[in-house]
mmCIF file of all heavy atoms in Angstrom:
data_model
loop_
_atom_site.group_PDB
_atom_site.id
_atom_site.type_symbol
_atom_site.label_atom_id
_atom_site.label_comp_id
_atom_site.label_asym_id
_atom_site.label_seq_id
_atom_site.Cartn_x
_atom_site.Cartn_y
_atom_site.Cartn_z
ATOM 1 N N ASP G 1324 -23.349 -12.452 1.346
ATOM 2 C CA ASP G 1324 -22.152 -13.251 1.100
ATOM 3 C C ASP G 1324 -21.271 -12.607 0.042
ATOM 4 O O ASP G 1324 -20.060 -12.556 0.171
ATOM 5 C CB ASP G 1324 -22.525 -14.672 0.669
ATOM 6 C CG ASP G 1324 -23.114 -15.480 1.821
ATOM 7 O OD1 ASP G 1324 -22.894 -15.090 2.989
ATOM 8 O OD2 ASP G 1324 -23.795 -16.488 1.538
ATOM 9 N N PHE G 1325 -21.903 -12.103 -1.034
ATOM 10 C CA PHE G 1325 -21.137 -11.444 -2.083
ATOM 11 C C PHE G 1325 -20.504 -10.158 -1.565
ATOM 12 O O PHE G 1325 -19.383 -9.832 -1.920
ATOM 13 C CB PHE G 1325 -22.008 -11.135 -3.301
ATOM 14 C CG PHE G 1325 -22.321 -12.352 -4.118
ATOM 15 C CD1 PHE G 1325 -23.624 -12.693 -4.400
ATOM 16 C CD2 PHE G 1325 -21.312 -13.161 -4.606
ATOM 17 C CE1 PHE G 1325 -23.915 -13.812 -5.144
ATOM 18 C CE2 PHE G 1325 -21.590 -14.278 -5.352
ATOM 19 C CZ PHE G 1325 -22.896 -14.608 -5.630
ATOM 20 N N ALA G 1326 -21.209 -9.429 -0.736
ATOM 21 C CA ALA G 1326 -20.669 -8.192 -0.176
ATOM 22 C C ALA G 1326 -19.475 -8.493 0.725
ATOM 23 O O ALA G 1326 -18.466 -7.780 0.700
ATOM 24 C CB ALA G 1326 -21.741 -7.438 0.606
ATOM 25 N N ASP G 1327 -19.560 -9.569 1.514
ATOM 26 C CA ASP G 1327 -18.437 -9.961 2.369
ATOM 27 C C ASP G 1327 -17.233 -10.365 1.523
ATOM 28 O O ASP G 1327 -16.095 -10.028 1.845
ATOM 29 C CB ASP G 1327 -18.834 -11.105 3.295
ATOM 30 C CG ASP G 1327 -19.828 -10.673 4.375
ATOM 31 O OD1 ASP G 1327 -19.929 -9.449 4.625
ATOM 32 O OD2 ASP G 1327 -20.499 -11.556 4.943
ATOM 33 N N ALA G 1328 -17.485 -11.109 0.454
ATOM 34 C CA ALA G 1328 -16.394 -11.537 -0.421
ATOM 35 C C ALA G 1328 -15.754 -10.338 -1.114
ATOM 36 O O ALA G 1328 -14.531 -10.270 -1.252
ATOM 37 C CB ALA G 1328 -16.911 -12.526 -1.458
ATOM 38 N N ASP G 1329 -16.577 -9.377 -1.541
ATOM 39 C CA ASP G 1329 -16.040 -8.173 -2.175
ATOM 40 C C ASP G 1329 -15.211 -7.361 -1.189
ATOM 41 O O ASP G 1329 -14.152 -6.839 -1.528
ATOM 42 C CB ASP G 1329 -17.166 -7.306 -2.743
ATOM 43 C CG ASP G 1329 -17.814 -7.933 -3.967
ATOM 44 O OD1 ASP G 1329 -17.200 -8.829 -4.577
ATOM 45 O OD2 ASP G 1329 -18.947 -7.511 -4.297
ATOM 46 N N ALA G 1330 -15.668 -7.261 0.042
ATOM 47 C CA ALA G 1330 -14.931 -6.510 1.057
ATOM 48 C C ALA G 1330 -13.608 -7.195 1.368
ATOM 49 O O ALA G 1330 -12.575 -6.532 1.526
ATOM 50 C CB ALA G 1330 -15.764 -6.375 2.323
ATOM 51 N N ALA G 1331 -13.611 -8.518 1.434
ATOM 52 C CA ALA G 1331 -12.375 -9.256 1.710
ATOM 53 C C ALA G 1331 -11.391 -9.101 0.554
ATOM 54 O O ALA G 1331 -10.187 -8.935 0.770
ATOM 55 C CB ALA G 1331 -12.678 -10.731 1.951
ATOM 56 N N ALA G 1332 -11.895 -9.154 -0.681
ATOM 57 C CA ALA G 1332 -11.024 -8.984 -1.842
ATOM 58 C C ALA G 1332 -10.445 -7.574 -1.881
ATOM 59 O O ALA G 1332 -9.269 -7.387 -2.204
ATOM 60 C CB ALA G 1332 -11.800 -9.274 -3.128
ATOM 61 N N ALA G 1333 -11.248 -6.580 -1.542
ATOM 62 C CA ALA G 1333 -10.761 -5.203 -1.530
ATOM 63 C C ALA G 1333 -9.698 -5.020 -0.454
ATOM 64 O O ALA G 1333 -8.690 -4.341 -0.666
ATOM 65 C CB ALA G 1333 -11.917 -4.237 -1.298
ATOM 66 N N ALA G 1334 -9.883 -5.644 0.701
ATOM 67 C CA ALA G 1334 -8.896 -5.545 1.770
ATOM 68 C C ALA G 1334 -7.592 -6.229 1.359
ATOM 69 O O ALA G 1334 -6.498 -5.728 1.641
ATOM 70 C CB ALA G 1334 -9.430 -6.158 3.052
ATOM 71 N N ALA G 1335 -7.692 -7.371 0.683
ATOM 72 C CA ALA G 1335 -6.491 -8.077 0.227
ATOM 73 C C ALA G 1335 -5.752 -7.262 -0.828
ATOM 74 O O ALA G 1335 -4.523 -7.192 -0.826
ATOM 75 C CB ALA G 1335 -6.864 -9.451 -0.331
ATOM 76 N N ASP G 1336 -6.505 -6.632 -1.739
ATOM 77 C CA ASP G 1336 -5.882 -5.788 -2.755
ATOM 78 C C ASP G 1336 -5.175 -4.600 -2.122
ATOM 79 O O ASP G 1336 -4.074 -4.220 -2.528
ATOM 80 C CB ASP G 1336 -6.916 -5.288 -3.763
ATOM 81 C CG ASP G 1336 -7.403 -6.393 -4.688
ATOM 82 O OD1 ASP G 1336 -6.708 -7.435 -4.779
ATOM 83 O OD2 ASP G 1336 -8.464 -6.212 -5.307
ATOM 84 N N ALA G 1337 -5.789 -3.998 -1.115
ATOM 85 C CA ALA G 1337 -5.170 -2.854 -0.440
ATOM 86 C C ALA G 1337 -3.889 -3.286 0.275
ATOM 87 O O ALA G 1337 -2.881 -2.577 0.244
ATOM 88 C CB ALA G 1337 -6.143 -2.237 0.561
ATOM 89 N N ALA G 1338 -3.906 -4.461 0.891
ATOM 90 C CA ALA G 1338 -2.708 -4.957 1.572
ATOM 91 C C ALA G 1338 -1.602 -5.253 0.560
ATOM 92 O O ALA G 1338 -0.427 -4.972 0.820
ATOM 93 C CB ALA G 1338 -3.035 -6.204 2.380
ATOM 94 N N ASP G 1339 -1.968 -5.825 -0.605
ATOM 95 C CA ASP G 1339 -0.976 -6.102 -1.641
ATOM 96 C C ASP G 1339 -0.359 -4.813 -2.166
ATOM 97 O O ASP G 1339 0.839 -4.741 -2.416
ATOM 98 C CB ASP G 1339 -1.603 -6.878 -2.803
ATOM 99 C CG ASP G 1339 -1.872 -8.325 -2.448
ATOM 100 O OD1 ASP G 1339 -1.282 -8.803 -1.440
ATOM 101 O OD2 ASP G 1339 -2.658 -8.968 -3.159
ATOM 102 N N GLU G 1340 -1.191 -3.777 -2.355
ATOM 103 C CA GLU G 1340 -0.677 -2.507 -2.845
ATOM 104 C C GLU G 1340 0.278 -1.884 -1.836
ATOM 105 O O GLU G 1340 1.296 -1.311 -2.212
ATOM 106 C CB GLU G 1340 -1.827 -1.551 -3.148
ATOM 107 C CG GLU G 1340 -2.602 -1.913 -4.396
ATOM 108 C CD GLU G 1340 -3.785 -0.994 -4.637
ATOM 109 O OE1 GLU G 1340 -3.866 0.052 -3.977
ATOM 110 O OE2 GLU G 1340 -4.608 -1.326 -5.491
ATOM 111 N N GLU G 1341 -0.040 -1.994 -0.543
ATOM 112 C CA GLU G 1341 0.851 -1.457 0.477
ATOM 113 C C GLU G 1341 2.185 -2.189 0.459
ATOM 114 O O GLU G 1341 3.246 -1.573 0.538
ATOM 115 C CB GLU G 1341 0.217 -1.565 1.857
ATOM 116 C CG GLU G 1341 -0.911 -0.592 2.095
ATOM 117 C CD GLU G 1341 -1.568 -0.796 3.448
ATOM 118 O OE1 GLU G 1341 -1.015 -1.542 4.276
ATOM 119 O OE2 GLU G 1341 -2.635 -0.203 3.669
ATOM 120 N N CYS G 1342 2.147 -3.515 0.333
ATOM 121 C CA CYS G 1342 3.386 -4.288 0.283
ATOM 122 C C CYS G 1342 4.168 -3.955 -0.980
ATOM 123 O O CYS G 1342 5.389 -3.831 -0.941
ATOM 124 C CB CYS G 1342 3.085 -5.789 0.320
ATOM 125 S SG CYS G 1342 2.511 -6.341 1.929
ATOM 126 N N ASP G 1343 3.471 -3.829 -2.106
ATOM 127 C CA ASP G 1343 4.135 -3.498 -3.355
ATOM 128 C C ASP G 1343 4.785 -2.128 -3.276
ATOM 129 O O ASP G 1343 5.884 -1.920 -3.771
ATOM 130 C CB ASP G 1343 3.151 -3.553 -4.523
ATOM 131 C CG ASP G 1343 2.717 -4.969 -4.845
ATOM 132 O OD1 ASP G 1343 3.397 -5.907 -4.388
ATOM 133 O OD2 ASP G 1343 1.708 -5.133 -5.550
ATOM 134 N N GLN G 1344 4.116 -1.170 -2.661
ATOM 135 C CA GLN G 1344 4.663 0.169 -2.575
ATOM 136 C C GLN G 1344 5.861 0.220 -1.641
ATOM 137 O O GLN G 1344 6.795 0.977 -1.864
ATOM 138 C CB GLN G 1344 3.589 1.151 -2.102
ATOM 139 C CG GLN G 1344 2.521 1.391 -3.148
ATOM 140 C CD GLN G 1344 1.368 2.209 -2.601
ATOM 141 O OE1 GLN G 1344 1.332 2.531 -1.431
ATOM 142 N NE2 GLN G 1344 0.414 2.536 -3.463
ATOM 143 N N GLU G 1345 5.856 -0.595 -0.595
ATOM 144 C CA GLU G 1345 6.970 -0.598 0.346
ATOM 145 C C GLU G 1345 8.224 -1.196 -0.265
ATOM 146 O O GLU G 1345 9.321 -0.709 -0.037
ATOM 147 C CB GLU G 1345 6.613 -1.413 1.584
ATOM 148 C CG GLU G 1345 5.714 -0.698 2.556
ATOM 149 C CD GLU G 1345 5.458 -1.554 3.784
ATOM 150 O OE1 GLU G 1345 6.338 -2.342 4.158
ATOM 151 O OE2 GLU G 1345 4.366 -1.421 4.350
ATOM 152 N N TYR G 1346 8.092 -2.244 -1.054
ATOM 153 C CA TYR G 1346 9.251 -3.002 -1.491
ATOM 154 C C TYR G 1346 9.573 -2.868 -2.964
ATOM 155 O O TYR G 1346 10.578 -3.400 -3.403
ATOM 156 C CB TYR G 1346 9.046 -4.480 -1.152
ATOM 157 C CG TYR G 1346 8.895 -4.714 0.326
ATOM 158 C CD1 TYR G 1346 7.678 -5.073 0.870
ATOM 159 C CD2 TYR G 1346 9.968 -4.554 1.178
ATOM 160 C CE1 TYR G 1346 7.532 -5.280 2.233
ATOM 161 C CE2 TYR G 1346 9.833 -4.750 2.542
ATOM 162 C CZ TYR G 1346 8.622 -5.120 3.054
ATOM 163 O OH TYR G 1346 8.488 -5.317 4.395
ATOM 164 N N ASP G 1347 8.766 -2.203 -3.745
ATOM 165 C CA ASP G 1347 9.018 -2.121 -5.180
ATOM 166 C C ASP G 1347 10.353 -1.463 -5.492
ATOM 167 O O ASP G 1347 11.148 -2.002 -6.249
ATOM 168 C CB ASP G 1347 7.894 -1.362 -5.888
ATOM 169 C CG ASP G 1347 6.766 -2.266 -6.293
ATOM 170 O OD1 ASP G 1347 6.963 -3.491 -6.267
ATOM 171 O OD2 ASP G 1347 5.699 -1.751 -6.643
ATOM 172 N N TYR G 1348 10.599 -0.298 -4.942
ATOM 173 C CA TYR G 1348 11.819 0.429 -5.261
ATOM 174 C C TYR G 1348 13.049 -0.325 -4.784
ATOM 175 O O TYR G 1348 14.041 -0.452 -5.502
ATOM 176 C CB TYR G 1348 11.769 1.828 -4.638
ATOM 177 C CG TYR G 1348 12.997 2.633 -4.944
ATOM 178 C CD1 TYR G 1348 13.195 3.157 -6.216
ATOM 179 C CD2 TYR G 1348 13.973 2.835 -3.983
ATOM 180 C CE1 TYR G 1348 14.331 3.875 -6.513
ATOM 181 C CE2 TYR G 1348 15.111 3.547 -4.269
ATOM 182 C CZ TYR G 1348 15.297 4.074 -5.536
ATOM 183 O OH TYR G 1348 16.414 4.779 -5.827
ATOM 184 N N GLU G 1349 12.984 -0.852 -3.572
ATOM 185 C CA GLU G 1349 14.123 -1.575 -3.004
ATOM 186 C C GLU G 1349 14.402 -2.862 -3.775
ATOM 187 O O GLU G 1349 15.554 -3.179 -4.072
ATOM 188 C CB GLU G 1349 13.842 -1.886 -1.536
ATOM 189 C CG GLU G 1349 15.030 -2.417 -0.782
ATOM 190 C CD GLU G 1349 16.110 -1.374 -0.571
ATOM 191 O OE1 GLU G 1349 15.782 -0.182 -0.503
ATOM 192 O OE2 GLU G 1349 17.281 -1.770 -0.503
ATOM 193 N N ASP G 1350 13.362 -3.594 -4.128
ATOM 194 C CA ASP G 1350 13.545 -4.834 -4.886
ATOM 195 C C ASP G 1350 14.073 -4.560 -6.282
ATOM 196 O O ASP G 1350 14.918 -5.291 -6.791
ATOM 197 C CB ASP G 1350 12.227 -5.605 -4.977
ATOM 198 C CG ASP G 1350 11.841 -6.240 -3.656
ATOM 199 O OD1 ASP G 1350 12.723 -6.370 -2.780
ATOM 200 O OD2 ASP G 1350 10.661 -6.591 -3.496
ATOM 201 N N ALA G 1351 13.574 -3.513 -6.920
ATOM 202 C CA ALA G 1351 14.030 -3.173 -8.269
ATOM 203 C C ALA G 1351 15.500 -2.764 -8.247
ATOM 204 O O ALA G 1351 16.283 -3.154 -9.123
ATOM 205 C CB ALA G 1351 13.173 -2.054 -8.843
ATOM 206 N N ARG G 1352 15.882 -2.001 -7.239
ATOM 207 C CA ARG G 1352 17.274 -1.569 -7.136
ATOM 208 C C ARG G 1352 18.189 -2.764 -6.897
ATOM 209 O O ARG G 1352 19.254 -2.890 -7.504
ATOM 210 C CB ARG G 1352 17.422 -0.559 -6.001
ATOM 211 C CG ARG G 1352 18.798 0.049 -5.928
ATOM 212 C CD ARG G 1352 18.819 1.201 -4.974
ATOM 213 N NE ARG G 1352 18.368 0.803 -3.663
ATOM 214 C CZ ARG G 1352 19.066 1.005 -2.551
ATOM 215 N NH1 ARG G 1352 20.215 1.613 -2.607
ATOM 216 N NH2 ARG G 1352 18.601 0.626 -1.391
ATOM 217 N N ARG G 1353 17.751 -3.681 -6.047
ATOM 218 C CA ARG G 1353 18.538 -4.884 -5.775
ATOM 219 C C ARG G 1353 18.657 -5.752 -7.031
ATOM 220 O O ARG G 1353 19.727 -6.301 -7.321
ATOM 221 C CB ARG G 1353 17.892 -5.685 -4.649
ATOM 222 C CG ARG G 1353 18.739 -6.832 -4.170
ATOM 223 C CD ARG G 1353 18.115 -7.566 -2.997
ATOM 224 N NE ARG G 1353 17.760 -6.652 -1.929
ATOM 225 C CZ ARG G 1353 16.549 -6.584 -1.379
ATOM 226 N NH1 ARG G 1353 15.586 -7.381 -1.796
ATOM 227 N NH2 ARG G 1353 16.292 -5.755 -0.405
ATOM 228 N N ALA G 1354 17.584 -5.863 -7.793
ATOM 229 C CA ALA G 1354 17.621 -6.655 -9.030
ATOM 230 C C ALA G 1354 18.554 -6.020 -10.054
ATOM 231 O O ALA G 1354 19.290 -6.729 -10.761
ATOM 232 C CB ALA G 1354 16.216 -6.795 -9.599
ATOM 233 N N ARG G 1355 18.538 -4.687 -10.159
ATOM 234 C CA ARG G 1355 19.444 -4.009 -11.097
ATOM 235 C C ARG G 1355 20.905 -4.241 -10.716
ATOM 236 O O ARG G 1355 21.739 -4.549 -11.568
ATOM 237 C CB ARG G 1355 19.155 -2.504 -11.129
ATOM 238 C CG ARG G 1355 17.917 -2.142 -11.905
ATOM 239 C CD ARG G 1355 17.837 -0.660 -12.175
ATOM 240 N NE ARG G 1355 17.902 0.167 -10.974
ATOM 241 C CZ ARG G 1355 16.857 0.543 -10.265
ATOM 242 N NH1 ARG G 1355 15.654 0.179 -10.638
ATOM 243 N NH2 ARG G 1355 17.004 1.309 -9.197
ATOM 244 N N TRP G 1356 21.211 -4.091 -9.431
ATOM 245 C CA TRP G 1356 22.586 -4.300 -8.975
ATOM 246 C C TRP G 1356 23.025 -5.747 -9.196
ATOM 247 O O TRP G 1356 24.161 -6.008 -9.599
ATOM 248 C CB TRP G 1356 22.724 -3.936 -7.498
ATOM 249 C CG TRP G 1356 22.935 -2.478 -7.276
ATOM 250 C CD1 TRP G 1356 22.010 -1.567 -6.886
ATOM 251 C CD2 TRP G 1356 24.154 -1.759 -7.451
ATOM 252 N NE1 TRP G 1356 22.568 -0.326 -6.804
ATOM 253 C CE2 TRP G 1356 23.892 -0.415 -7.148
ATOM 254 C CE3 TRP G 1356 25.438 -2.124 -7.835
ATOM 255 C CZ2 TRP G 1356 24.871 0.560 -7.215
ATOM 256 C CZ3 TRP G 1356 26.416 -1.144 -7.900
ATOM 257 C CH2 TRP G 1356 26.123 0.179 -7.590
ATOM 258 N N THR G 1357 22.137 -6.682 -8.913
ATOM 259 C CA THR G 1357 22.473 -8.098 -9.084
ATOM 260 C C THR G 1357 22.724 -8.434 -10.543
ATOM 261 O O THR G 1357 23.704 -9.114 -10.873
ATOM 262 C CB THR G 1357 21.347 -8.989 -8.517
ATOM 263 O OG1 THR G 1357 21.148 -8.659 -7.143
ATOM 264 C CG2 THR G 1357 21.673 -10.449 -8.657
ATOM 265 N N ALA G 1358 21.855 -7.959 -11.437
ATOM 266 C CA ALA G 1358 22.030 -8.233 -12.862
ATOM 267 C C ALA G 1358 23.308 -7.589 -13.386
ATOM 268 O O ALA G 1358 24.052 -8.201 -14.177
ATOM 269 C CB ALA G 1358 20.820 -7.733 -13.643
ATOM 270 N N THR G 1359 23.586 -6.375 -12.951
ATOM 271 C CA THR G 1359 24.789 -5.678 -13.412
ATOM 272 C C THR G 1359 26.055 -6.363 -12.901
ATOM 273 O O THR G 1359 26.998 -6.599 -13.672
ATOM 274 C CB THR G 1359 24.761 -4.209 -12.944
ATOM 275 O OG1 THR G 1359 23.554 -3.609 -13.418
ATOM 276 C CG2 THR G 1359 25.947 -3.443 -13.468
ATOM 277 N N ALA G 1360 26.084 -6.689 -11.630
ATOM 278 C CA ALA G 1360 27.272 -7.317 -11.049
ATOM 279 C C ALA G 1360 27.513 -8.712 -11.629
ATOM 280 O O ALA G 1360 28.651 -9.076 -11.955
ATOM 281 C CB ALA G 1360 27.133 -7.396 -9.534
ATOM 282 N N THR G 1361 26.450 -9.474 -11.795
ATOM 283 C CA THR G 1361 26.593 -10.820 -12.349
ATOM 284 C C THR G 1361 27.055 -10.758 -13.794
ATOM 285 O O THR G 1361 27.916 -11.531 -14.219
ATOM 286 C CB THR G 1361 25.261 -11.587 -12.241
ATOM 287 O OG1 THR G 1361 24.839 -11.584 -10.884
ATOM 288 C CG2 THR G 1361 25.399 -13.008 -12.734
#
């Protein structure tokens, strides 16, 4: 049970890292433009 939970947590962390890597630069750039324009 612990091994299954660890594997599920590792898979979730890997998915989060992939999402973070895909959108980090784009989101940061959008936030900079929004803060500057506002």
